[in-house]
Amino acid sequence: MRRHLDRQLARFLRKERGGLSYADFAKKTGLSHQTLFRLEHGEHHLTLDKLETVLVKLKIRLKDIFTDEF
């Protein structure tokens, strides 16, 4: 299940970043550009605290990211 959630988060971040550089998107999310790159490539996992930061900064809800049912 964790891998499934990681993939959903990665897809969401890639889509949300669009054509922005990692550095520019990092400013919007409150994460470092290295963390964003690693998240998109499945090399890093977010803590709930960091996930909450992303939700607040992007003004989105958890269900906007994790739309699939289990």
Side-chain angles (χ1 to χ4, degrees):
M1 182 183 304
R2 181 177 181 150
R3 288 183 187 169
H4 180 70
L5 295 173
D6 286 341
R7 283 193 298 268
Q8 283 186 65
L9 177 60
R11 275 193 306 268
F12 176 83
L13 291 172
R14 277 192 297 276
K15 180 182 169 201
E16 197 69 20
R17 185 170 60 83
L20 290 177
S21 69
Y22 284 106
D24 289 338
F25 194 54
K27 292 175 188 172
K28 288 182 72 171
T29 61
L31 302 172
S32 72
H33 66 278
Q34 296 97 335
T35 297
L36 286 170
F37 179 86
R38 292 176 62 210
L39 284 167
E40 285 188 11
H41 291 87
E43 301 169 359
H44 187 74
H45 307 288
L46 277 186
T47 64
L48 291 175
D49 287 340
K50 289 291 185 182
L51 180 57
E52 183 178 27
T53 298
V54 171
L55 295 172
V56 170
K57 294 273 188 171
L58 295 179
K59 298 177 182 160
I60 58 173
R61 297 169 297 179
L62 195 60
K63 68 181 185 176
D64 295 330
I65 297 174
F66 304 107
T67 57
D68 293 349
E69 293 184 26
F70 295 96

